[in-house]
Amino acid sequence: MNGGDEVVAAPPGPPQLLDWKFSQVFGERTAGEEVQEVDIISAIEFDKTGDHLATGDRGGRVVLFERTDTKDHGVSRRDLERMDYPIGRHPEFRYKTEFQSHEPEFDYLKSLEIEEKINKIRWCQTANSALFLLSTNDKTIKFWKVQEKKVKKISDMNLDPSKAVGNGSIASSSNSSSPKPFLANGGSPDRSYNNLSDDFSFPPGGLSSLRLPVVVTSQETSLVARSRRVYAHAHDYHINSISNNSDGETFISADDLRINLWNLDISNQSFNIVDVKPANMEDLTEVITSAEFHPTHCNMLAYSSSKGSIRLIDLRQSALCDSHTKLFEEPEAPSSRSFFTEIIASISDIKFAKDGRYILSRDYMTLKLWDINMDSGPVATFQVHEYLRPKLCDLYENDSIFDKFECCLSGDGLRVATGSYSNLFRVFGCASGSSEATTLEATKNPMRRQVQTPSRPSRSLSSITRVVRRGPETPGVDANGNSFDFTTKLLHLAWHPTENSIACAAANSLYVYYA
């Protein structure tokens, strides 16, 4: 206020385009190196602080990484940010530990092999400097505790050989290299082996002290992963999702037809809260594809279906949530229906925004952002790889059309990301007025395939019509004229909870990028 003139701040414009840079790669392949099936990464998850990163693979292993750049100043990164301390370094992680979470099993009753592949990992609340996480394969969920423990060692032998007199020692009496005959009851036919004084003689008056072997705790530490609980035998179909509740006490697990509610402390009992199984399986029209708890409301969760719909349910309404509170779906126009319409409409992943206001969903061709207060349609739709639409027949024949791509949101809710083929992933701006649509490749040079013209249709909160922009229809060529490869697909990625950093998996390699 100056001389009665009011200064009005200009409305904030869309955020600047991010310049993505390569940070790190773990498990980088050399040229021509063959990837082992068991090494392919199948799950990625940051913890809530972003200081730890977990990956799971098809071999049933969980690998943990910890952030290193926050420790250099001796002060936590959040404290430095509060002090406006200039932080020039980008996020860096280092290998922390790994453990075998699941083993291959065989269900003899159903004659079914249960593979060890990790489907999902979810971090739980930390306590006493220990890390806790849930991991699941197709049938069994496990609750892990990872903690640093001091290494215990056994002290020296019980008698110091230097103080012994004679031609023998304790070591020679117990560890002789020559074989000794023993009787069936453990005795020895040679009495000298049972007579300690034959091996060495004690000094006159005996020894002043006899040292017994004791276990001592050294200053060395090692990370130990221990399975605290196993949640098994609750799903007839393959588990596709697990999600922690904000209450810190419960979590859900979802398979094709049911969602179960568990208490972390009780492994032998769960409550079935959603059941879409019809009385006659011939009447089955859709299955559950993904489920997630609301980030702050412990009574709300959402689940998606193979028909492209998302249902929001409230656990306060009834014990069995057969009816939903809200239904989010966008019917396909009858004129554009084809044989592939229902297949590509299936939602492979949903994620809540950090504030719980929006839900991001990924179907085969698009990303959609939904406002939970508006069930008339998505507030924004992003075309991920529209140039593949003419190739749907080929994708169907090689089963690529059934690939399940994950999606993620930035911590500030301004951007969304998801993967595609040829190890590409897309980052879209979802703030009002943003036209950001970046294509990155999971290599050390992520901007190599950058698409210059945005290929996303923008839809503001107030608009009703949807704009569809199609890519070139040249077979085998993407929107930037590069050939695409169906065999290399980027299915799994995660966005750091507080910074513009993305971790993504290309086969057995974990790439980390920052902006």
Side-chain angles (χ1 to χ4, degrees), residues 398-415:
N398 63 22
D399 283 345
S400 294
I401 201 169
F402 301 106
D403 287 334
K404 299 186 188 314
F405 292 94
E406 292 179 2
C407 58
C408 58
L409 297 99
S410 61
D412 56 16
L414 298 178
R415 294 173 180 85

Side-chain angles (χ1 to χ4, degrees), residues 109-121:
L109 292 175
K110 297 181 180 178
S111 296
L112 184 71
E113 283 187 22
I114 303 169
E115 61 179 355
E116 65 273 36
K117 174 184 159 231
I118 304 295
N119 290 345
K120 295 287 178 183
I121 296 172

Side-chain angles (χ1 to χ4, degrees), residues 36-57:
Q36 299 296 318
E37 178 81 11
V38 293
D39 294 332
I40 295 175
I41 296 171
S42 55
I44 300 179
E45 187 78 6
F46 281 105
D47 72 347
K48 282 187 178 179
T49 63
D51 291 339
H52 292 92
L53 175 64
T55 65
D57 62 26

Side-chain angles (χ1 to χ4, degrees), residues 155-171:
S155 67
D156 296 338
M157 296 299 290
N158 52 336
L159 187 64
D160 193 339
S162 63
K163 293 182 180 178
V165 183
N167 61 355
S169 68
I170 287 181

